[in-house]
Amino acid sequence: MTSSAPSHTPTTAAFYVQAVLSFGLSLTAVGIGVVFLPVGGWVRAFLGIAMLYTVTSAFTLAKVLRDRQEDTYITSRVDRARLDKLLTEHDPFKLDVP
């Protein structure tokens, strides 16, 4: 019995560059918007810290989701290996006569 690994599509270089550029552009745009906002310094500081908090929270969420997905994948591989071992060791024609 062959065990098939789940298909894993690697990230292409173009997709990686697009994601990095998109993140950098959006962070820069919001940063410029906060700097040039016609409000007091305390409001700008609050918005800047809120933006940084949002960015770090997004990174943390992405890491947690990735870790959970990897844990699920590893658990399913272990379960699949146990099932394969049981199936290979099982002999339906073996008689259990004492």
PDB file of all heavy atoms in Angstrom, residues 10-44:
ATOM      1  N   PRO A  10       4.928  24.717  -3.981  1.00  0.00           N
ATOM      2  CA  PRO A  10       5.886  25.682  -3.459  1.00  0.00           C
ATOM      3  C   PRO A  10       5.529  27.107  -3.911  1.00  0.00           C
ATOM      4  O   PRO A  10       4.938  27.315  -4.962  1.00  0.00           O
ATOM      5  CB  PRO A  10       7.219  25.235  -4.060  1.00  0.00           C
ATOM      6  CG  PRO A  10       6.851  24.469  -5.273  1.00  0.00           C
ATOM      7  CD  PRO A  10       5.504  23.864  -4.991  1.00  0.00           C
ATOM      8  N   THR A  11       5.918  28.057  -3.097  1.00  0.00           N
ATOM      9  CA  THR A  11       5.689  29.453  -3.431  1.00  0.00           C
ATOM     10  C   THR A  11       6.678  29.885  -4.503  1.00  0.00           C
ATOM     11  O   THR A  11       7.875  29.668  -4.362  1.00  0.00           O
ATOM     12  CB  THR A  11       5.872  30.331  -2.175  1.00  0.00           C
ATOM     13  OG1 THR A  11       4.999  29.860  -1.155  1.00  0.00           O
ATOM     14  CG2 THR A  11       5.579  31.771  -2.465  1.00  0.00           C
ATOM     15  N   THR A  12       6.168  30.488  -5.556  1.00  0.00           N
ATOM     16  CA  THR A  12       7.053  30.949  -6.615  1.00  0.00           C
ATOM     17  C   THR A  12       7.744  32.235  -6.195  1.00  0.00           C
ATOM     18  O   THR A  12       7.279  32.951  -5.301  1.00  0.00           O
ATOM     19  CB  THR A  12       6.265  31.201  -7.909  1.00  0.00           C
ATOM     20  OG1 THR A  12       5.312  32.240  -7.662  1.00  0.00           O
ATOM     21  CG2 THR A  12       5.552  29.942  -8.363  1.00  0.00           C
ATOM     22  N   ALA A  13       8.837  32.523  -6.848  1.00  0.00           N
ATOM     23  CA  ALA A  13       9.593  33.739  -6.535  1.00  0.00           C
ATOM     24  C   ALA A  13       8.757  34.984  -6.851  1.00  0.00           C
ATOM     25  O   ALA A  13       8.799  35.971  -6.114  1.00  0.00           O
ATOM     26  CB  ALA A  13      10.896  33.763  -7.321  1.00  0.00           C
ATOM     27  N   ALA A  14       7.996  34.934  -7.924  1.00  0.00           N
ATOM     28  CA  ALA A  14       7.166  36.089  -8.294  1.00  0.00           C
ATOM     29  C   ALA A  14       6.109  36.366  -7.230  1.00  0.00           C
ATOM     30  O   ALA A  14       5.851  37.529  -6.887  1.00  0.00           O
ATOM     31  CB  ALA A  14       6.507  35.847  -9.647  1.00  0.00           C
ATOM     32  N   PHE A  15       5.495  35.322  -6.707  1.00  0.00           N
ATOM     33  CA  PHE A  15       4.485  35.511  -5.663  1.00  0.00           C
ATOM     34  C   PHE A  15       5.112  36.069  -4.396  1.00  0.00           C
ATOM     35  O   PHE A  15       4.551  36.947  -3.746  1.00  0.00           O
ATOM     36  CB  PHE A  15       3.775  34.191  -5.367  1.00  0.00           C
ATOM     37  CG  PHE A  15       2.698  34.319  -4.335  1.00  0.00           C
ATOM     38  CD1 PHE A  15       1.489  34.905  -4.644  1.00  0.00           C
ATOM     39  CD2 PHE A  15       2.899  33.857  -3.045  1.00  0.00           C
ATOM     40  CE1 PHE A  15       0.498  35.038  -3.693  1.00  0.00           C
ATOM     41  CE2 PHE A  15       1.916  33.984  -2.081  1.00  0.00           C
ATOM     42  CZ  PHE A  15       0.708  34.574  -2.413  1.00  0.00           C
ATOM     43  N   TYR A  16       6.288  35.576  -4.052  1.00  0.00           N
ATOM     44  CA  TYR A  16       6.998  36.067  -2.868  1.00  0.00           C
ATOM     45  C   TYR A  16       7.326  37.554  -3.026  1.00  0.00           C
ATOM     46  O   TYR A  16       7.091  38.350  -2.123  1.00  0.00           O
ATOM     47  CB  TYR A  16       8.274  35.250  -2.653  1.00  0.00           C
ATOM     48  CG  TYR A  16       9.092  35.709  -1.480  1.00  0.00           C
ATOM     49  CD1 TYR A  16       8.716  35.412  -0.184  1.00  0.00           C
ATOM     50  CD2 TYR A  16      10.248  36.466  -1.666  1.00  0.00           C
ATOM     51  CE1 TYR A  16       9.460  35.843   0.899  1.00  0.00           C
ATOM     52  CE2 TYR A  16      10.994  36.904  -0.593  1.00  0.00           C
ATOM     53  CZ  TYR A  16      10.596  36.587   0.685  1.00  0.00           C
ATOM     54  OH  TYR A  16      11.326  37.020   1.749  1.00  0.00           O
ATOM     55  N   VAL A  17       7.862  37.937  -4.187  1.00  0.00           N
ATOM     56  CA  VAL A  17       8.206  39.340  -4.437  1.00  0.00           C
ATOM     57  C   VAL A  17       6.946  40.204  -4.403  1.00  0.00           C
ATOM     58  O   VAL A  17       6.945  41.293  -3.823  1.00  0.00           O
ATOM     59  CB  VAL A  17       8.942  39.483  -5.786  1.00  0.00           C
ATOM     60  CG1 VAL A  17       9.063  40.940  -6.208  1.00  0.00           C
ATOM     61  CG2 VAL A  17      10.318  38.845  -5.701  1.00  0.00           C
ATOM     62  N   GLN A  18       5.858  39.714  -4.991  1.00  0.00           N
ATOM     63  CA  GLN A  18       4.608  40.474  -4.982  1.00  0.00           C
ATOM     64  C   GLN A  18       4.116  40.686  -3.548  1.00  0.00           C
ATOM     65  O   GLN A  18       3.679  41.781  -3.192  1.00  0.00           O
ATOM     66  CB  GLN A  18       3.533  39.751  -5.785  1.00  0.00           C
ATOM     67  CG  GLN A  18       2.201  40.459  -5.745  1.00  0.00           C
ATOM     68  CD  GLN A  18       1.068  39.612  -6.286  1.00  0.00           C
ATOM     69  OE1 GLN A  18       1.255  38.457  -6.635  1.00  0.00           O
ATOM     70  NE2 GLN A  18      -0.110  40.190  -6.329  1.00  0.00           N
ATOM     71  N   ALA A  19       4.192  39.662  -2.727  1.00  0.00           N
ATOM     72  CA  ALA A  19       3.731  39.782  -1.342  1.00  0.00           C
ATOM     73  C   ALA A  19       4.589  40.762  -0.559  1.00  0.00           C
ATOM     74  O   ALA A  19       4.075  41.592   0.193  1.00  0.00           O
ATOM     75  CB  ALA A  19       3.736  38.401  -0.675  1.00  0.00           C
ATOM     76  N   VAL A  20       5.897  40.698  -0.724  1.00  0.00           N
ATOM     77  CA  VAL A  20       6.794  41.601  -0.009  1.00  0.00           C
ATOM     78  C   VAL A  20       6.579  43.040  -0.465  1.00  0.00           C
ATOM     79  O   VAL A  20       6.488  43.959   0.364  1.00  0.00           O
ATOM     80  CB  VAL A  20       8.271  41.165  -0.206  1.00  0.00           C
ATOM     81  CG1 VAL A  20       9.232  42.232   0.304  1.00  0.00           C
ATOM     82  CG2 VAL A  20       8.530  39.849   0.490  1.00  0.00           C
ATOM     83  N   LEU A  21       6.496  43.251  -1.770  1.00  0.00           N
ATOM     84  CA  LEU A  21       6.277  44.605  -2.286  1.00  0.00           C
ATOM     85  C   LEU A  21       4.918  45.159  -1.853  1.00  0.00           C
ATOM     86  O   LEU A  21       4.804  46.339  -1.499  1.00  0.00           O
ATOM     87  CB  LEU A  21       6.396  44.623  -3.810  1.00  0.00           C
ATOM     88  CG  LEU A  21       7.808  44.460  -4.366  1.00  0.00           C
ATOM     89  CD1 LEU A  21       7.775  44.407  -5.892  1.00  0.00           C
ATOM     90  CD2 LEU A  21       8.718  45.570  -3.884  1.00  0.00           C
ATOM     91  N   SER A  22       3.903  44.328  -1.879  1.00  0.00           N
ATOM     92  CA  SER A  22       2.572  44.765  -1.464  1.00  0.00           C
ATOM     93  C   SER A  22       2.571  45.166   0.007  1.00  0.00           C
ATOM     94  O   SER A  22       2.000  46.196   0.380  1.00  0.00           O
ATOM     95  CB  SER A  22       1.564  43.647  -1.709  1.00  0.00           C
ATOM     96  OG  SER A  22       0.305  44.001  -1.211  1.00  0.00           O
ATOM     97  N   PHE A  23       3.211  44.360   0.835  1.00  0.00           N
ATOM     98  CA  PHE A  23       3.292  44.682   2.254  1.00  0.00           C
ATOM     99  C   PHE A  23       4.062  45.985   2.468  1.00  0.00           C
ATOM    100  O   PHE A  23       3.631  46.865   3.208  1.00  0.00           O
ATOM    101  CB  PHE A  23       3.960  43.542   3.027  1.00  0.00           C
ATOM    102  CG  PHE A  23       4.219  43.880   4.463  1.00  0.00           C
ATOM    103  CD1 PHE A  23       3.183  43.900   5.378  1.00  0.00           C
ATOM    104  CD2 PHE A  23       5.499  44.182   4.901  1.00  0.00           C
ATOM    105  CE1 PHE A  23       3.416  44.214   6.700  1.00  0.00           C
ATOM    106  CE2 PHE A  23       5.741  44.497   6.214  1.00  0.00           C
ATOM    107  CZ  PHE A  23       4.693  44.512   7.126  1.00  0.00           C
ATOM    108  N   GLY A  24       5.200  46.116   1.827  1.00  0.00           N
ATOM    109  CA  GLY A  24       6.005  47.329   1.971  1.00  0.00           C
ATOM    110  C   GLY A  24       5.273  48.570   1.492  1.00  0.00           C
ATOM    111  O   GLY A  24       5.309  49.617   2.148  1.00  0.00           O
ATOM    112  N   LEU A  25       4.591  48.453   0.366  1.00  0.00           N
ATOM    113  CA  LEU A  25       3.851  49.594  -0.171  1.00  0.00           C
ATOM    114  C   LEU A  25       2.696  49.993   0.745  1.00  0.00           C
ATOM    115  O   LEU A  25       2.499  51.186   1.018  1.00  0.00           O
ATOM    116  CB  LEU A  25       3.324  49.267  -1.573  1.00  0.00           C
ATOM    117  CG  LEU A  25       2.541  50.375  -2.268  1.00  0.00           C
ATOM    118  CD1 LEU A  25       3.446  51.566  -2.538  1.00  0.00           C
ATOM    119  CD2 LEU A  25       1.931  49.855  -3.559  1.00  0.00           C
ATOM    120  N   SER A  26       1.959  49.014   1.242  1.00  0.00           N
ATOM    121  CA  SER A  26       0.829  49.348   2.115  1.00  0.00           C
ATOM    122  C   SER A  26       1.305  49.951   3.438  1.00  0.00           C
ATOM    123  O   SER A  26       0.718  50.912   3.939  1.00  0.00           O
ATOM    124  CB  SER A  26      -0.036  48.107   2.376  1.00  0.00           C
ATOM    125  OG  SER A  26       0.688  47.143   3.107  1.00  0.00           O
ATOM    126  N   LEU A  27       2.368  49.422   3.999  1.00  0.00           N
ATOM    127  CA  LEU A  27       2.905  49.962   5.243  1.00  0.00           C
ATOM    128  C   LEU A  27       3.427  51.383   5.035  1.00  0.00           C
ATOM    129  O   LEU A  27       3.188  52.270   5.861  1.00  0.00           O
ATOM    130  CB  LEU A  27       4.017  49.050   5.772  1.00  0.00           C
ATOM    131  CG  LEU A  27       4.513  49.313   7.181  1.00  0.00           C
ATOM    132  CD1 LEU A  27       3.370  49.124   8.179  1.00  0.00           C
ATOM    133  CD2 LEU A  27       5.657  48.391   7.513  1.00  0.00           C
ATOM    134  N   THR A  28       4.107  51.618   3.911  1.00  0.00           N
ATOM    135  CA  THR A  28       4.605  52.955   3.599  1.00  0.00           C
ATOM    136  C   THR A  28       3.460  53.934   3.391  1.00  0.00           C
ATOM    137  O   THR A  28       3.502  55.069   3.894  1.00  0.00           O
ATOM    138  CB  THR A  28       5.496  52.909   2.343  1.00  0.00           C
ATOM    139  OG1 THR A  28       6.563  51.987   2.576  1.00  0.00           O
ATOM    140  CG2 THR A  28       6.070  54.268   2.011  1.00  0.00           C
ATOM    141  N   ALA A  29       2.428  53.527   2.667  1.00  0.00           N
ATOM    142  CA  ALA A  29       1.288  54.412   2.402  1.00  0.00           C
ATOM    143  C   ALA A  29       0.582  54.806   3.698  1.00  0.00           C
ATOM    144  O   ALA A  29       0.263  55.984   3.900  1.00  0.00           O
ATOM    145  CB  ALA A  29       0.311  53.734   1.450  1.00  0.00           C
ATOM    146  N   VAL A  30       0.368  53.848   4.573  1.00  0.00           N
ATOM    147  CA  VAL A  30      -0.291  54.171   5.837  1.00  0.00           C
ATOM    148  C   VAL A  30       0.624  55.046   6.697  1.00  0.00           C
ATOM    149  O   VAL A  30       0.168  55.994   7.341  1.00  0.00           O
ATOM    150  CB  VAL A  30      -0.703  52.890   6.589  1.00  0.00           C
ATOM    151  CG1 VAL A  30      -1.191  53.209   7.985  1.00  0.00           C
ATOM    152  CG2 VAL A  30      -1.771  52.155   5.814  1.00  0.00           C
ATOM    153  N   GLY A  31       1.919  54.759   6.699  1.00  0.00           N
ATOM    154  CA  GLY A  31       2.863  55.577   7.460  1.00  0.00           C
ATOM    155  C   GLY A  31       2.887  57.020   6.974  1.00  0.00           C
ATOM    156  O   GLY A  31       2.860  57.959   7.779  1.00  0.00           O
ATOM    157  N   ILE A  32       2.911  57.212   5.663  1.00  0.00           N
ATOM    158  CA  ILE A  32       2.880  58.569   5.101  1.00  0.00           C
ATOM    159  C   ILE A  32       1.557  59.251   5.443  1.00  0.00           C
ATOM    160  O   ILE A  32       1.529  60.440   5.789  1.00  0.00           O
ATOM    161  CB  ILE A  32       3.118  58.528   3.576  1.00  0.00           C
ATOM    162  CG1 ILE A  32       4.575  58.140   3.292  1.00  0.00           C
ATOM    163  CG2 ILE A  32       2.780  59.867   2.928  1.00  0.00           C
ATOM    164  CD1 ILE A  32       4.868  57.873   1.833  1.00  0.00           C
ATOM    165  N   GLY A  33       0.463  58.490   5.363  1.00  0.00           N
ATOM    166  CA  GLY A  33      -0.833  59.057   5.719  1.00  0.00           C
ATOM    167  C   GLY A  33      -0.884  59.518   7.162  1.00  0.00           C
ATOM    168  O   GLY A  33      -1.435  60.578   7.461  1.00  0.00           O
ATOM    169  N   VAL A  34      -0.294  58.759   8.060  1.00  0.00           N
ATOM    170  CA  VAL A  34      -0.284  59.136   9.477  1.00  0.00           C
ATOM    171  C   VAL A  34       0.601  60.357   9.693  1.00  0.00           C
ATOM    172  O   VAL A  34       0.248  61.274  10.441  1.00  0.00           O
ATOM    173  CB  VAL A  34       0.185  57.947  10.352  1.00  0.00           C
ATOM    174  CG1 VAL A  34       0.494  58.397  11.762  1.00  0.00           C
ATOM    175  CG2 VAL A  34      -0.869  56.856  10.365  1.00  0.00           C
ATOM    176  N   VAL A  35       1.745  60.422   9.029  1.00  0.00           N
ATOM    177  CA  VAL A  35       2.670  61.545   9.204  1.00  0.00           C
ATOM    178  C   VAL A  35       2.039  62.850   8.716  1.00  0.00           C
ATOM    179  O   VAL A  35       2.161  63.889   9.372  1.00  0.00           O
ATOM    180  CB  VAL A  35       4.002  61.268   8.470  1.00  0.00           C
ATOM    181  CG1 VAL A  35       4.855  62.521   8.385  1.00  0.00           C
ATOM    182  CG2 VAL A  35       4.763  60.160   9.171  1.00  0.00           C
ATOM    183  N   PHE A  36       1.372  62.811   7.574  1.00  0.00           N
ATOM    184  CA  PHE A  36       0.820  64.035   6.995  1.00  0.00           C
ATOM    185  C   PHE A  36      -0.629  64.308   7.392  1.00  0.00           C
ATOM    186  O   PHE A  36      -1.252  65.218   6.848  1.00  0.00           O
ATOM    187  CB  PHE A  36       0.947  64.000   5.475  1.00  0.00           C
ATOM    188  CG  PHE A  36       2.372  64.134   5.022  1.00  0.00           C
ATOM    189  CD1 PHE A  36       3.034  63.061   4.459  1.00  0.00           C
ATOM    190  CD2 PHE A  36       3.057  65.328   5.180  1.00  0.00           C
ATOM    191  CE1 PHE A  36       4.348  63.174   4.045  1.00  0.00           C
ATOM    192  CE2 PHE A  36       4.378  65.451   4.773  1.00  0.00           C
ATOM    193  CZ  PHE A  36       5.026  64.372   4.206  1.00  0.00           C
ATOM    194  N   LEU A  37      -1.162  63.566   8.325  1.00  0.00           N
ATOM    195  CA  LEU A  37      -2.524  63.799   8.800  1.00  0.00           C
ATOM    196  C   LEU A  37      -2.577  65.129   9.558  1.00  0.00           C
ATOM    197  O   LEU A  37      -1.724  65.392  10.395  1.00  0.00           O
ATOM    198  CB  LEU A  37      -2.942  62.648   9.720  1.00  0.00           C
ATOM    199  CG  LEU A  37      -4.412  62.462  10.013  1.00  0.00           C
ATOM    200  CD1 LEU A  37      -5.168  62.134   8.725  1.00  0.00           C
ATOM    201  CD2 LEU A  37      -4.605  61.343  11.010  1.00  0.00           C
ATOM    202  N   PRO A  38      -3.559  65.978   9.254  1.00  0.00           N
ATOM    203  CA  PRO A  38      -3.594  67.293   9.911  1.00  0.00           C
ATOM    204  C   PRO A  38      -4.181  67.223  11.329  1.00  0.00           C
ATOM    205  O   PRO A  38      -5.252  67.744  11.609  1.00  0.00           O
ATOM    206  CB  PRO A  38      -4.481  68.122   8.979  1.00  0.00           C
ATOM    207  CG  PRO A  38      -5.381  67.135   8.335  1.00  0.00           C
ATOM    208  CD  PRO A  38      -4.578  65.877   8.213  1.00  0.00           C
ATOM    209  N   VAL A  39      -3.476  66.535  12.212  1.00  0.00           N
ATOM    210  CA  VAL A  39      -3.894  66.419  13.614  1.00  0.00           C
ATOM    211  C   VAL A  39      -2.673  66.633  14.492  1.00  0.00           C
ATOM    212  O   VAL A  39      -1.548  66.745  14.015  1.00  0.00           O
ATOM    213  CB  VAL A  39      -4.538  65.039  13.910  1.00  0.00           C
ATOM    214  CG1 VAL A  39      -5.851  64.876  13.180  1.00  0.00           C
ATOM    215  CG2 VAL A  39      -3.597  63.918  13.581  1.00  0.00           C
ATOM    216  N   GLY A  40      -2.895  66.637  15.799  1.00  0.00           N
ATOM    217  CA  GLY A  40      -1.809  66.843  16.746  1.00  0.00           C
ATOM    218  C   GLY A  40      -0.858  65.655  16.819  1.00  0.00           C
ATOM    219  O   GLY A  40      -1.114  64.571  16.306  1.00  0.00           O
ATOM    220  N   GLY A  41       0.259  65.903  17.481  1.00  0.00           N
ATOM    221  CA  GLY A  41       1.294  64.881  17.611  1.00  0.00           C
ATOM    222  C   GLY A  41       0.840  63.654  18.384  1.00  0.00           C
ATOM    223  O   GLY A  41       1.237  62.528  18.072  1.00  0.00           O
ATOM    224  N   TRP A  42       0.002  63.851  19.414  1.00  0.00           N
ATOM    225  CA  TRP A  42      -0.462  62.716  20.201  1.00  0.00           C
ATOM    226  C   TRP A  42      -1.339  61.800  19.370  1.00  0.00           C
ATOM    227  O   TRP A  42      -1.242  60.563  19.481  1.00  0.00           O
ATOM    228  CB  TRP A  42      -1.247  63.199  21.427  1.00  0.00           C
ATOM    229  CG  TRP A  42      -0.350  63.717  22.491  1.00  0.00           C
ATOM    230  CD1 TRP A  42      -0.138  65.019  22.814  1.00  0.00           C
ATOM    231  CD2 TRP A  42       0.479  62.938  23.344  1.00  0.00           C
ATOM    232  NE1 TRP A  42       0.781  65.109  23.822  1.00  0.00           N
ATOM    233  CE2 TRP A  42       1.178  63.838  24.181  1.00  0.00           C
ATOM    234  CE3 TRP A  42       0.715  61.583  23.497  1.00  0.00           C
ATOM    235  CZ2 TRP A  42       2.079  63.421  25.139  1.00  0.00           C
ATOM    236  CZ3 TRP A  42       1.615  61.158  24.461  1.00  0.00           C
ATOM    237  CH2 TRP A  42       2.284  62.078  25.273  1.00  0.00           C
ATOM    238  N   VAL A  43      -2.167  62.360  18.514  1.00  0.00           N
ATOM    239  CA  VAL A  43      -3.033  61.539  17.650  1.00  0.00           C
ATOM    240  C   VAL A  43      -2.181  60.788  16.637  1.00  0.00           C
ATOM    241  O   VAL A  43      -2.399  59.598  16.383  1.00  0.00           O
ATOM    242  CB  VAL A  43      -4.094  62.416  16.946  1.00  0.00           C
ATOM    243  CG1 VAL A  43      -4.909  61.603  15.968  1.00  0.00           C
ATOM    244  CG2 VAL A  43      -4.997  63.085  17.966  1.00  0.00           C
ATOM    245  N   ARG A  44      -1.181  61.471  16.058  1.00  0.00           N
ATOM    246  CA  ARG A  44      -0.276  60.795  15.118  1.00  0.00           C
ATOM    247  C   ARG A  44       0.472  59.650  15.808  1.00  0.00           C
ATOM    248  O   ARG A  44       0.620  58.570  15.238  1.00  0.00           O
ATOM    249  CB  ARG A  44       0.730  61.792  14.566  1.00  0.00           C
ATOM    250  CG  ARG A  44       0.317  62.355  13.266  1.00  0.00           C
ATOM    251  CD  ARG A  44       1.479  63.071  12.593  1.00  0.00           C
ATOM    252  NE  ARG A  44       0.912  64.302  12.083  1.00  0.00           N
ATOM    253  CZ  ARG A  44       1.225  65.506  12.486  1.00  0.00           C
ATOM    254  NH1 ARG A  44       2.142  65.698  13.399  1.00  0.00           N
ATOM    255  NH2 ARG A  44       0.645  66.547  11.962  1.00  0.00           N
TER     256      ARG A  44
END
